[in-house]
Amino acid sequence: MARADVLRAAHAHCQSLQEALVSLREGGLEQVAQWGRHLAATLPVGGRLLAAGNGGSAAQAQHLTAELVGRYQRERPAYSAIALHADTSSLTAIGNDYGFEELYARQVAAHGRPGDVLMLLSTSGRSPNLLAAADTGRAAGLRVWAMTGPRPNPLAFRADEALCIGSGSTATVQESHLVALHLLCESFDHEVGVPGHELPDGTAPAGGAASVDGDGDGAAAGGGAVAPYPPP
């Protein structure tokens, strides 16, 4: 591709993401905040979050569980969250013995309990293994949430609640899902009362707050002191 074509494609990509985020901001923030409130009422009393996706959406699911088991911005207790694709022995055994469509449903049946939350991420909303997981989760009494691409799609229909990104670009949908997951973590931290939690508008409470990257690099901003992760 000529350099001009590459730049045009990059601009189009950024424009697509910008439009999706405007839509998320105007129509999805209350839902994400409500999910954070629900998790804050569920995880601290022994509930757990199960999360699943395929490909890039699997990475997004694992990103979410890492933020909850570890931390998002500030030090707080660990909470139970499991990315169902991360157990490779179970994954390959189930796929080999029961087929790819049962990959997540069988794990939901094993790990899920009534009142737990199942988060399913899919750009198409049509992955058979996620549809089976949603059906199994609802039958077992879990609260099923979906993050998908445009409506209508089968996964949004089968979930209790869905956040749908109205873009035809897989990359844009996944990037928007990541923003929504971070906003979900912000809402959760706010609701569980994390000291010095940064507010959604980017300001810090009085006294100054340090911001910590949930990927675990321990980088702090704003001059506050933050306890580092313990050494391995």
Side-chain angles (χ1 to χ4, degrees):
M1 293 178 67
R3 181 172 180 273
D5 292 334
V6 172
L7 288 176
R8 275 194 294 270
H11 281 291
H13 186 131
C14 291
Q15 182 64 33
S16 175
L17 179 58
Q18 181 177 329
E19 291 170 358
L21 292 181
V22 168
S23 178
L24 173 63
R25 184 175 183 178
E26 292 177 349
L29 295 190
E30 178 53 40
Q31 181 172 43
V32 173
Q34 190 277 326
W35 284 357
R37 290 191 293 270
H38 186 93
L39 283 183
T42 301
L43 302 189
V45 295
R48 74 173 42 138
L49 172 80
L50 307 179
N54 296 301
S57 293
Q60 303 279 35
Q62 191 166 348
H63 191 128
L64 173 60
T65 59
E67 305 283 29
L68 294 172
V69 176
R71 61 181 175 184
Y72 175 58
Q73 288 184 321
R74 300 291 303 204
E75 196 60 46
R76 56 157 166 71
Y79 295 101
S80 181
I82 301 172
L84 298 180
H85 69 280
D87 182 351
T88 55
S89 292
S90 292
L91 205 69
T92 53
I94 294 167
N96 186 65
D97 294 344
Y98 298 95
F100 195 78
E101 289 189 15
E102 292 298 313
L103 216 58
Y104 295 132
R106 194 164 180 86
Q107 293 187 76
V108 171
H111 299 303
R113 300 292 183 268
D116 288 348
V117 174
L118 175 62
M119 173 71 84
L120 302 173
L121 296 98
S122 171
T123 57
S124 69
R126 292 175 170 79
S127 300
N129 57 1
L130 299 180
L131 298 178
D135 292 341
T136 299
R138 293 190 67 181
L142 281 72
R143 189 74 179 170
V144 179
W145 297 341
M147 286 190 180
T148 75
R151 295 180 189 267
N153 65 74
L155 184 57
F157 178 76
R158 297 193 196 192
D160 292 301
E161 299 173 53
L163 179 70
C164 301
I165 304 299
S167 172
S169 165
T170 295
T172 296
V173 173
Q174 289 177 338
E175 289 156 2
S176 300
H177 283 175
L178 179 56
V179 173
L181 291 177
H182 279 163
L183 296 175
L184 172 59
C185 291
E186 286 191 10
S187 175
F188 175 80
D189 278 7
H190 175 74
E191 294 295 332
V192 297
V194 175
H197 172 65
E198 187 175 272
L199 301 174
D201 63 2
T203 62
S211 176
V212 178
D213 188 332
D215 292 332
D217 63 12
V226 177
Y229 283 112

